[in-house]
Amino acid sequence: AVILYFKQPDLERRLVAIDPGPTWTDPLPIRVLALAVVSAFTAGSFALAAVTAVTPLYGTILRGPPAAVLLLVEAGLLATGAWLLIKNRIGGWWLALGMALLTITSQLVTVAVLGGETVGMAAVTPQQADAVRGSPMLRTDVQIAMNLISLVVSIGVLLWIRPFVGKTAESN
């Protein structure tokens, strides 16, 4: 239904009639806007993760206040990156790249050192433990493969977006 709605031939004309002036997103290339939105949502998820206060950190699992502080700092960096991307500044792209590299490599190292099940079980409540324990998704090799794929895709997408940062939508 959503696809059919947006495929209506006169939709653009109707939207322009409602709001004829340019919007704050008009000058942004769509790829930069998309990265800003993803960065903002990721910042929100890191901030929410601070409630559980459990996070991997290069071979160990941080818990409690140190984990909450780290997650909130990461959320702040991601939110700053999103804001810089909305302003179409290259610093936002660098923050997105740095955060992707740091968080995914930290997860990779932690899984390699502690094992996939240990890392996975650290993130669940005692009530969830029985349902999750033994899951094939918690196997170390599966966790490493998923993180490597995530790392390659993240870097690839960021490199694909990079030429558009700092440009206007009209110049692309």
Side-chain angles (χ1 to χ4, degrees), residues 59-86:
T60 188
I61 303 284
L62 283 183
R63 297 174 193 277
V69 168
L70 176 61
L71 287 161
L72 290 172
V73 166
E74 291 172 327
L77 289 169
L78 287 160
T80 301
W83 181 81
L84 288 169
L85 286 163
I86 290 296

Short mmCIF file of all heavy atoms in Angstrom, two decimals, residues 59-86:
data_model
loop_
_atom_site.label_atom_id
_atom_site.label_comp_id
_atom_site.label_asym_id
_atom_site.label_seq_id
_atom_site.Cartn_x
_atom_site.Cartn_y
_atom_site.Cartn_z
N GLY A 59 37.58 -7.53 23.95
CA GLY A 59 37.99 -8.74 24.65
C GLY A 59 37.39 -8.90 26.02
O GLY A 59 37.66 -9.90 26.70
N THR A 60 36.59 -7.98 26.46
CA THR A 60 35.93 -8.09 27.76
C THR A 60 34.50 -7.60 27.63
O THR A 60 34.13 -7.00 26.63
CB THR A 60 36.70 -7.28 28.84
OG1 THR A 60 36.13 -7.56 30.11
CG2 THR A 60 36.65 -5.80 28.56
N ILE A 61 33.72 -7.88 28.65
CA ILE A 61 32.34 -7.38 28.70
C ILE A 61 32.28 -6.36 29.83
O ILE A 61 32.53 -6.69 30.99
CB ILE A 61 31.33 -8.52 28.99
CG1 ILE A 61 31.42 -9.63 27.96
CG2 ILE A 61 29.92 -7.96 29.10
CD1 ILE A 61 30.79 -9.33 26.63
N LEU A 62 31.98 -5.12 29.48
CA LEU A 62 31.78 -4.09 30.50
C LEU A 62 30.35 -4.19 31.02
O LEU A 62 29.42 -4.40 30.25
CB LEU A 62 31.98 -2.70 29.92
CG LEU A 62 33.39 -2.20 29.67
CD1 LEU A 62 33.35 -0.77 29.16
CD2 LEU A 62 34.24 -2.28 30.93
N ARG A 63 30.20 -4.00 32.33
CA ARG A 63 28.87 -4.03 32.95
C ARG A 63 28.74 -2.86 33.91
O ARG A 63 29.72 -2.35 34.42
CB ARG A 63 28.67 -5.33 33.72
CG ARG A 63 28.69 -6.57 32.88
CD ARG A 63 28.61 -7.82 33.77
NE ARG A 63 28.93 -9.02 33.03
CZ ARG A 63 28.08 -9.69 32.28
NH1 ARG A 63 26.84 -9.28 32.16
NH2 ARG A 63 28.46 -10.78 31.65
N GLY A 64 27.51 -2.47 34.15
CA GLY A 64 27.23 -1.45 35.15
C GLY A 64 27.58 -0.04 34.67
O GLY A 64 27.58 0.24 33.47
N PRO A 65 27.90 0.84 35.61
CA PRO A 65 28.16 2.25 35.27
C PRO A 65 29.24 2.46 34.20
O PRO A 65 29.04 3.29 33.31
CB PRO A 65 28.56 2.88 36.61
CG PRO A 65 27.83 2.05 37.62
CD PRO A 65 27.86 0.65 37.07
N PRO A 66 30.36 1.71 34.19
CA PRO A 66 31.33 1.93 33.12
C PRO A 66 30.74 1.64 31.72
O PRO A 66 31.00 2.37 30.77
CB PRO A 66 32.47 0.96 33.44
CG PRO A 66 32.35 0.71 34.90
CD PRO A 66 30.88 0.77 35.20
N ALA A 67 29.92 0.60 31.63
CA ALA A 67 29.28 0.28 30.35
C ALA A 67 28.29 1.36 29.96
O ALA A 67 28.24 1.78 28.80
CB ALA A 67 28.59 -1.08 30.44
N ALA A 68 27.51 1.83 30.94
CA ALA A 68 26.53 2.88 30.65
C ALA A 68 27.22 4.15 30.16
O ALA A 68 26.77 4.77 29.19
CB ALA A 68 25.68 3.18 31.89
N VAL A 69 28.32 4.52 30.80
CA VAL A 69 29.05 5.72 30.39
C VAL A 69 29.59 5.55 28.97
O VAL A 69 29.45 6.44 28.13
CB VAL A 69 30.19 6.05 31.39
CG1 VAL A 69 31.14 7.10 30.83
CG2 VAL A 69 29.61 6.50 32.71
N LEU A 70 30.21 4.40 28.70
CA LEU A 70 30.74 4.16 27.35
C LEU A 70 29.62 4.22 26.31
O LEU A 70 29.77 4.86 25.26
CB LEU A 70 31.45 2.81 27.28
CG LEU A 70 31.96 2.41 25.89
CD1 LEU A 70 32.99 3.42 25.37
CD2 LEU A 70 32.55 1.00 25.91
N LEU A 71 28.51 3.58 26.58
CA LEU A 71 27.39 3.59 25.62
C LEU A 71 26.84 5.00 25.41
O LEU A 71 26.50 5.37 24.28
CB LEU A 71 26.30 2.64 26.09
CG LEU A 71 26.64 1.15 25.94
CD1 LEU A 71 25.74 0.30 26.82
CD2 LEU A 71 26.55 0.74 24.48
N LEU A 72 26.77 5.79 26.45
CA LEU A 72 26.28 7.16 26.31
C LEU A 72 27.28 8.04 25.55
O LEU A 72 26.88 8.90 24.76
CB LEU A 72 25.95 7.76 27.68
CG LEU A 72 24.71 7.15 28.35
CD1 LEU A 72 24.57 7.67 29.77
CD2 LEU A 72 23.46 7.41 27.53
N VAL A 73 28.58 7.81 25.77
CA VAL A 73 29.59 8.54 24.98
C VAL A 73 29.46 8.16 23.51
O VAL A 73 29.49 9.03 22.62
CB VAL A 73 31.01 8.26 25.52
CG1 VAL A 73 32.08 8.73 24.54
CG2 VAL A 73 31.20 8.92 26.88
N GLU A 74 29.32 6.86 23.23
CA GLU A 74 29.14 6.42 21.85
C GLU A 74 27.87 7.01 21.24
O GLU A 74 27.88 7.46 20.09
CB GLU A 74 29.11 4.89 21.77
CG GLU A 74 30.45 4.25 22.07
CD GLU A 74 30.39 2.74 22.19
OE1 GLU A 74 29.36 2.20 22.65
OE2 GLU A 74 31.38 2.09 21.83
N ALA A 75 26.79 7.05 22.01
CA ALA A 75 25.55 7.66 21.53
C ALA A 75 25.75 9.13 21.21
O ALA A 75 25.27 9.63 20.19
CB ALA A 75 24.44 7.48 22.56
N GLY A 76 26.49 9.81 22.07
CA GLY A 76 26.77 11.23 21.84
C GLY A 76 27.60 11.45 20.58
O GLY A 76 27.34 12.39 19.82
N LEU A 77 28.59 10.60 20.36
CA LEU A 77 29.40 10.72 19.14
C LEU A 77 28.57 10.46 17.90
O LEU A 77 28.68 11.18 16.89
CB LEU A 77 30.59 9.76 19.21
CG LEU A 77 31.68 10.13 20.21
CD1 LEU A 77 32.67 8.98 20.38
CD2 LEU A 77 32.39 11.41 19.78
N LEU A 78 27.71 9.46 17.96
CA LEU A 78 26.85 9.16 16.81
C LEU A 78 25.84 10.29 16.57
O LEU A 78 25.57 10.65 15.42
CB LEU A 78 26.13 7.83 17.02
CG LEU A 78 27.01 6.60 16.87
CD1 LEU A 78 26.39 5.40 17.56
CD2 LEU A 78 27.26 6.32 15.39
N ALA A 79 25.29 10.85 17.63
CA ALA A 79 24.35 11.98 17.47
C ALA A 79 25.07 13.19 16.90
O ALA A 79 24.52 13.90 16.03
CB ALA A 79 23.71 12.32 18.82
N THR A 80 26.30 13.43 17.35
CA THR A 80 27.09 14.53 16.79
C THR A 80 27.35 14.30 15.31
O THR A 80 27.24 15.22 14.48
CB THR A 80 28.42 14.68 17.55
OG1 THR A 80 28.13 14.94 18.92
CG2 THR A 80 29.28 15.79 16.97
N GLY A 81 27.67 13.06 14.96
CA GLY A 81 27.87 12.71 13.55
C GLY A 81 26.62 12.95 12.73
O GLY A 81 26.68 13.48 11.61
N ALA A 82 25.47 12.58 13.27
CA ALA A 82 24.20 12.79 12.56
C ALA A 82 23.97 14.29 12.34
O ALA A 82 23.58 14.71 11.24
CB ALA A 82 23.05 12.18 13.35
N TRP A 83 24.21 15.09 13.37
CA TRP A 83 24.03 16.54 13.25
C TRP A 83 24.98 17.12 12.20
O TRP A 83 24.58 17.94 11.37
CB TRP A 83 24.26 17.20 14.61
CG TRP A 83 24.08 18.69 14.56
CD1 TRP A 83 22.90 19.37 14.61
CD2 TRP A 83 25.11 19.66 14.44
NE1 TRP A 83 23.14 20.73 14.52
CE2 TRP A 83 24.50 20.93 14.43
CE3 TRP A 83 26.49 19.60 14.35
CZ2 TRP A 83 25.22 22.11 14.31
CZ3 TRP A 83 27.22 20.77 14.25
CH2 TRP A 83 26.58 22.01 14.23
N LEU A 84 26.24 16.68 12.22
CA LEU A 84 27.20 17.17 11.22
C LEU A 84 26.79 16.75 9.81
O LEU A 84 26.96 17.51 8.85
CB LEU A 84 28.61 16.66 11.54
CG LEU A 84 29.29 17.29 12.75
CD1 LEU A 84 30.55 16.53 13.12
CD2 LEU A 84 29.60 18.76 12.48
N LEU A 85 26.25 15.55 9.67
CA LEU A 85 25.79 15.10 8.35
C LEU A 85 24.59 15.92 7.88
O LEU A 85 24.49 16.25 6.70
CB LEU A 85 25.46 13.61 8.38
CG LEU A 85 26.68 12.70 8.43
CD1 LEU A 85 26.29 11.30 8.88
CD2 LEU A 85 27.39 12.67 7.08
N ILE A 86 23.68 16.26 8.80
CA ILE A 86 22.55 17.12 8.43
C ILE A 86 23.08 18.47 7.93
O ILE A 86 22.51 19.08 7.03
CB ILE A 86 21.60 17.30 9.63
CG1 ILE A 86 20.86 16.01 9.93
CG2 ILE A 86 20.62 18.45 9.41
CD1 ILE A 86 19.93 15.53 8.85
#
